[in-house]
Amino acid sequence: MSRPPAVPPPDPQGFLSDAAHQLKTPLAALKSQLELAIGDADEDSLRRRLADMSATLDGVIHLAHQLLALARAEPGAGLPADRQPMRLDAILGRLADSHLDMAVARNIDLGFELEAAEIEGVPWLLRELAVNLVENGLNYTQPGGRVTVRCGRRDGHAFIEVEDDGPGIPPDERSRVFERFHRVPGSAGDGCGLGLAIVKEIAARHAATVGVAAGAGGRGARFTVRFSA
Amino acid sequence: MRALVLEDDLLVARGLTEGLARAGYAVEHASTASEADQAMQRGNIDVAIVDLGLPLEDGLTFIRRMRDQGVTVPMLILTARDTLEDCVGGLDAGADDYLTKPFRFPELLARLRAAVRRQHAETSFLLTVGPLRVNLRTHEVYLGEEFFALRPREREVLESLMTAWPGCAAKANLFKDAGSAELSPNAIEVSIFRLRQKLAPLGFTIRTVRGIGYRLEEQKAQ
């Protein structure tokens, strides 16, 4: 007996319209910067406009990447179940190569405390999770601050932890930061509001929980992903 | 250095050609695999950048065909497709690296350099970072054309740093790579300290990466 094809779910949380809005804003900015640049005779100001456009475009590219990552992390994304035994410390250690330049540019001390932790997981999804936590830390921590990436086993559970000594997240905002497009009011940083939603989605696909608390000494934020085994 | 750009989108191709030329490459542009064939047959291409979605023969088939013919030119895939399957498929076909659009030019240039360096390393055992050069067979280090005098442990550390460059060298591998017995953390620190003093006047620094190890960095001219 064949089942009728699944009806695509509606867009209950208005995700698509949120996403479209998020795209329209920088695109509108690009359009007006471009129009000004076309009529700009002064070379210095033209150069400044081009630099602005390049930065705006970086934001659009980042958003497109994050939307794709979110779509792929969702259950039912049609991905093969390529779960395999893997080492969290190996995945996180490679962030030293990929993200050190970003940390150096922001004058943030990016450090690692990695202990052996093997789990069954999808390596590229967990890398995406870790990247989002680290970039979140680097984006919201002030120059001169510290971001520390940890993994290991605690009470019989594997974990990933990213701690910063930035401004932290007020307690009443902590449950909301994982919502799509939610940004903490008044926060600095130039994220698009999807990074932590991606973290939550990927954690859920690994039957892991994710939570945030204050860091050491009540300062900053500490994100912890705790796996079921 | 001569680069082949196989890309059917003219706007993207123009950007690539201009950017590569500015970085000192001589560039040949091909819009189709058969045009690229002709360039490859002339035999003076050092590195190729290949788009996957091409009219007629696609980029993957082109790369596979080149490898079947014994062409060893380093090839880097540049494409908008970025799923894991695409990436694995490209590398399996014989590409050396994979970069997705939109890309940043400095990253493209770094990957081209790395692809060329890997190919050279297989044949010459020479590793180069800026003016520093190490011969991995004789373990001699040169600064430009001059012999660069270092103590054995400093040389081993530098060799490990250059091997890992532009990535980080894990502390645990600093001496293991060079084959000597494991040293105490203290002895490593001393060697790093001395090496820093010798490299500083040359515009190199060694950054400590907390919990990982060290990274060799070339000071950028301001």
Side-chain angles (χ1 to χ4, degrees):
Chain A
M1 206 173 79
S2 68
R3 290 174 163 209
V7 180
D11 188 23
Q13 294 106 14
F15 176 67
L16 280 177
S17 58
D18 276 352
H21 179 75
Q22 295 286 326
L23 270 172
K24 271 181 88 172
T25 308
L27 286 177
L30 261 183
K31 176 79 178 150
S32 58
Q33 286 161 342
L34 190 57
E35 281 168 354
L36 287 167
I38 287 171
D40 204 334
D42 179 62
E43 199 166 308
D44 282 345
S45 104
L46 180 61
R47 217 174 279 278
R48 270 198 305 279
R49 285 195 209 290
L50 289 176
D52 285 349
M53 284 166 64
S54 181
T56 310
L57 202 49
D58 282 343
V60 179
I61 289 166
H62 178 66
L63 179 59
H65 173 91
Q66 295 290 65
L67 285 170
L68 262 178
L70 193 54
R72 288 188 193 141
E74 282 181 325
L79 286 166
D82 44 7
R83 263 172 191 255
Q84 47 183 272
M86 50 169 282
R87 296 276 300 259
L88 290 177
D89 44 325
I91 296 238
L92 297 178
R94 283 200 283 277
L95 296 180
D97 284 339
S98 59
H99 282 72
L100 192 60
D101 285 331
M102 183 176 175
V104 168
R106 284 155 205 249
N107 187 23
I108 292 171
D109 172 17
L110 175 62
F112 296 80
E113 295 169 14
L114 308 178
E115 284 170 24
E118 189 172 312
I119 62 157
E120 288 261 323
V122 185
W124 66 273
L125 277 178
L126 288 169
R127 184 190 135 77
E128 192 75 37
L129 176 149
V131 162
N132 275 289
L133 285 178
V134 168
E135 290 185 357
N136 184 72
L138 294 177
N139 272 327
Y140 292 99
T141 301
Q142 68 289 346
R146 268 161 96 93
V147 172
T148 302
V149 182
R150 298 187 190 97
C151 73
R153 300 193 73 84
R154 209 180 269 157
D155 309 326
H157 297 272
F159 73 92
I160 296 175
E161 199 164 83
V162 177
E163 178 170 341
D164 65 60
D165 61 359
I169 298 167
D172 54 343
E173 282 285 329
R174 286 180 190 162
S175 61
R176 298 202 63 200
V177 291
F178 297 101
E179 292 173 14
R180 292 164 174 182
F181 296 118
H182 180 75
R183 303 197 57 213
V184 175
S187 64
D190 49 7
C192 65
L194 283 176
L196 294 175
I198 291 169
V199 169
K200 188 181 170 194
E201 204 77 61
I202 294 174
R205 276 197 73 180
H206 286 84
T209 58
V210 53
V212 58
R219 293 187 63 196
R222 180 167 61 216
F223 288 88
T224 306
V225 178
R226 190 168 177 266
F227 293 85
S228 55
Chain B
M1 199 58 73
R2 199 166 193 86
L4 170 71
V5 172
L6 173 50
E7 165 68 68
D8 66 321
D9 185 307
L10 289 182
L11 211 55
V12 175
R14 196 196 298 165
L16 277 170
T17 307
E18 283 184 20
L20 288 170
R22 207 173 291 176
Y25 285 85
V27 188
E28 289 198 37
H29 170 229
S31 303
T32 63
S34 68
E35 281 176 41
D37 271 1
Q38 292 168 17
M40 284 296 203
Q41 273 162 21
R42 285 195 290 275
N44 56 353
I45 300 293
D46 297 300
V47 63
I49 298 167
V50 179
D51 178 33
L52 287 190
L54 296 167
L56 308 170
E57 186 181 72
D58 68 61
L60 271 190
T61 316
F62 170 77
I63 292 172
R64 204 173 288 125
R65 199 161 49 76
M66 285 297 115
R67 294 305 186 219
D68 286 347
Q69 291 172 13
V71 174
T72 58
V73 172
M75 297 196 207
L76 185 139
I77 290 175
L78 189 60
T79 177
R81 299 185 209 163
D82 69 344
T83 68
L84 185 72
E85 293 77 38
D86 289 327
C87 174
V88 170
L91 297 175
D92 280 349
D96 295 86
D97 205 351
Y98 195 101
L99 194 58
T100 58
K101 295 173 191 168
F103 60 94
R104 285 164 194 274
F105 234 98
E107 185 175 6
L108 172 67
L109 293 176
R111 288 189 187 226
L112 288 177
R113 282 196 299 271
V116 171
R117 197 166 57 231
R118 275 197 299 274
Q119 206 200 17
H120 281 244
E122 278 167 22
T123 53
S124 73
F125 298 97
L126 272 184
L127 210 59
T128 309
V129 179
L132 286 173
R133 214 151 39 90
V134 59
N135 184 321
L136 295 175
R137 209 164 7 187
T138 62
H139 303 293
E140 287 166 331
V141 185
Y142 293 88
L143 177 66
E145 297 305 312
E146 305 274 306
F147 185 74
F148 188 30
L150 293 169
R151 292 165 191 247
R153 279 179 188 169
E154 295 162 12
R155 184 189 47 69
E156 288 179 40
V157 171
L158 183 60
E159 197 172 307
S160 297
L161 289 170
M162 287 176 69
T163 306
W165 187 87
C168 306
K171 206 167 182 171
N173 293 338
L174 271 188
F175 290 91
K176 217 163 51 191
D177 283 354
S180 71
E182 210 167 295
L183 286 175
S184 70
N186 208 8
I188 293 178
E189 308 257 321
V190 170
S191 295
I192 291 279
F193 175 76
R194 292 212 183 106
L195 199 51
R196 275 186 175 133
Q197 288 184 318
K198 292 189 179 174
L199 288 176
L202 311 174
F204 283 97
T205 54
I206 300 173
R207 181 181 298 279
T208 304
V209 186
R210 186 158 49 93
I212 298 284
Y214 301 93
R215 187 172 81 165
L216 182 66
E217 296 182 0
E218 209 177 344
Q219 223 95 338
K220 301 215 170 54
Q222 293 296 313

